[in-house]
Amino acid sequence: MKKSLRMFLTLALLMCLAGCGAPRAPQEAEEGLLLGFAQIGSESSWRIGNTKSIQDAAERHGIRLMMADANQKQENEIRALRSFIAYRVDVLAFVPIVEEGWENVLREAKAAGIPVILSDRMISGEIDESLYDVYVGADFLEEGKKAGSYLLRKREELGAGRLRIAEISGTPDSTPALERAAGFRSVIREDARFEIIDSMSGDFLRSKGKECMQQMLARHGRDIDVLYSHNDGMTLGAIEAIEEAGLVPGRDIVIITVDGEQAAVDLLREGKINCVVECTPMLGETVMELAEKLKAGETVPRILHPEETMFTEYDSLEAIAPRGY
Ligand code: GZL
């Protein structure tokens, strides 16, 4: 039976079991680690790469993975987590699409004695630290600072004038959007010549990235010197809008993007993008190692950040390995 159909049927079964609250049969518990993973959707190539990384790593580790696709809705994530709890999975993992609103379902997981891995994004609010075991994902503040540091260097080349920045941000109230914005601002605020003249959310979607850029070009015309976009998908959409407006991306408008998808690196090589801040989606191996440790009752670090870099027009670009997403 096709894997995806099997997983869909598993989830459908889970939803039913959740209703009647029937936990996993005891003999099933002997079949190895069962991981319930609530993924937010497939909004970007980065996300698709992240999902593949999780699935491939589960396969390598012989871990039985139940993955739910929340289709960009927090309520779907919460519903999936409740189904996994009802089914008595060994470990829970999920990507908090936004930072708030997880307390109740995490209390239910704790009451059921199921360890929790936060994958890719963080939670905040009045959260009791004991409601999750570990966060594995990027240091988004650092990603924003890298974007700002590139612009400080670029400004030397652009001369002493005022630099007007347009920002296309990610999903509102998500950790990457909040912290990529904060990190960037913490670096550029040292210099009054930088001014963020407009900021809109493109929700990490290519289509919305294009719409945002169209609206900002309509408002500001040629008065945009820099675009800071929180992910490559939105940047690809924005570049379409820039070219349709008769402007040259990477020259008329300096472009800084985050994720490091192959498409963005290709445009960096073409000179249409000036800076690509890497955010790796390849978290699967670490998630599976953590799940095994948690099931075995071992202690794990609270926070794990993957190594990440940045590629700019000042680097030798031929050395960049194929990105894989
Ligand atoms: C970042 C991740 C973001 C990516 C987007 O870790 O949560 O979500 O930057 C993705 O491409 O949609």
Side-chain angles (χ1 to χ4, degrees), residues 43-44 46-47 120-121 140 176 180 204 230-231 259 279:
E43 74 281 0
S44 62
W46 188 100
R47 183 64 55 202
D120 174 29
R121 297 185 186 179
F140 300 108
R180 284 171 182 166
F204 289 128
H230 290 189
N231 89 325
D259 272 351
C279 175

Side-chain angles (χ1 to χ4, degrees), residues 123-157:
I123 57 179
S124 72
E126 303 308 313
I127 201 84
D128 164 3
E129 290 262 307
S130 71
L131 292 180
Y132 67 90
D133 294 84
V134 55
Y135 164 75
V136 50
D139 179 343
F140 300 108
L141 213 54
E142 192 53 37
E143 292 175 351
K145 290 178 179 175
K146 285 176 183 165
S149 66
Y150 159 78
L151 197 53
L152 293 184
R153 177 173 180 184
K154 183 69 178 180
R155 191 212 49 233
E156 300 313 313
E157 178 193 310

